[in-house]
Amino acid sequence: CGLVTGKDYRNGIKEISQEICNAVIQVKHEKDLFYKNMVNQHGFKDSFFDCKCYVIAGLSSSLTDNESVASFELYKTSLHNVTIITYDEVLETIKRLSSILVE
């Protein structure tokens, strides 16, 4: 899945891909359903806080120009309680953790 479409939106800002926007909406919807289920079926009311959700998608290496990087970072950091992590960021984190565990 692409992170940005490559199309200019305005003033050097690239358009965020519809797939990424939809993934953010989906994860927020799933969290909402989870909370409602916990209240309706299990009686929990005040036990839950607004937890953080994660979307793992795309490759940061696909962001080939400064406008694409800036646009994606602006979008990513503007989200409330949703973190977007790319596959190559996950791989890099796993490599760093494995090197620590090997030592």
Side-chain angles (χ1 to χ4, degrees), residues 1-3 20 56-62 84-89:
C1 137
L3 302 173
I20 292 295
I56 302 173
L59 294 169
S60 59
S61 60
S62 70
I84 300 174
I85 304 170
T86 62
Y87 290 112
D88 44 350
E89 290 171 326

Side-chain angles (χ1 to χ4, degrees), residues 28 31-32 35 46-53 80-82:
K28 284 183 164 273
K31 181 177 79 169
D32 185 55
Y35 282 156
D46 299 322
S47 302
F48 293 97
F49 298 97
D50 195 12
C51 69
K52 194 169 216 175
C53 298
H80 176 69
N81 283 346
V82 176

Side-chain angles (χ1 to χ4, degrees), residues 24-93:
V24 169
I25 293 167
Q26 180 184 0
V27 76
K28 284 183 164 273
H29 176 70
E30 294 296 330
K31 181 177 79 169
D32 185 55
L33 290 176
F34 172 76
Y35 282 156
K36 286 177 181 172
N37 180 50
M38 293 307 285
V39 169
N40 293 335
Q41 291 188 10
H42 303 289
F44 296 110
K45 291 187 181 171
D46 299 322
S47 302
F48 293 97
F49 298 97
D50 195 12
C51 69
K52 194 169 216 175
C53 298
Y54 293 87
V55 171
I56 302 173
L59 294 169
S60 59
S61 60
S62 70
L63 302 171
T64 56
D65 56 58
N66 290 340
E67 288 91 5
S68 295
V69 171
S71 299
F72 182 65
E73 288 300 320
L74 285 168
Y75 178 72
K76 193 166 118 164
T77 58
S78 71
L79 299 172
H80 176 69
N81 283 346
V82 176
T83 299
I84 300 174
I85 304 170
T86 62
Y87 290 112
D88 44 350
E89 290 171 326
V90 170
L91 180 60
E92 186 59 36
T93 301

